[in-house]
Amino acid sequence: MEGNQPIGSRWNFDRQNRKPPKGKLTLPEALWFEPDSITQDVINFIKQSEAFQDNQNYWLLEPFRWAVTRQQALQVLKFFIEKR
């Protein structure tokens, strides 16, 4: 950067990668998990909280299908690299 401008006066030197994909792009479904008992206990605890009761429109607790352990996170990473 030179001040607030890119060196060479161009932001993008790779125009080929800025074109939209040809044809219909379909991605495989993401890798999701069902909540284990600890995660379900936490979801239930949050549902009982005053903060949740007062602001239900701002919370999306279910479906909760995110990785919550290191092992699950590594599975998601591997799946993303190999499939998505």
Side-chain angles (χ1 to χ4, degrees), residues 3-66:
N4 64 353
Q5 294 299 313
I7 294 174
S9 301
R10 289 178 55 194
W11 289 100
N12 180 6
F13 289 91
D14 189 0
R15 291 186 182 261
Q16 285 182 321
N17 284 337
R18 299 298 178 188
K19 294 179 182 177
K22 295 176 182 172
K24 185 178 180 184
L25 180 64
T26 55
L27 294 174
E29 181 69 28
L31 180 60
W32 298 114
F33 300 90
E34 291 299 317
D36 60 12
S37 62
I38 295 171
T39 303
Q40 192 60 56
D41 287 346
V42 171
I43 291 169
N44 294 338
F45 178 79
I46 292 171
K47 284 180 176 179
Q48 300 302 316
S49 73
E50 186 176 327
F52 179 80
Q53 297 301 320
D54 293 344
N55 299 290
Q56 288 186 37
N57 293 336
Y58 301 106
W59 297 63
L60 181 60
L61 293 178
E62 295 176 303
F64 186 93
R65 302 181 301 172
W66 299 98

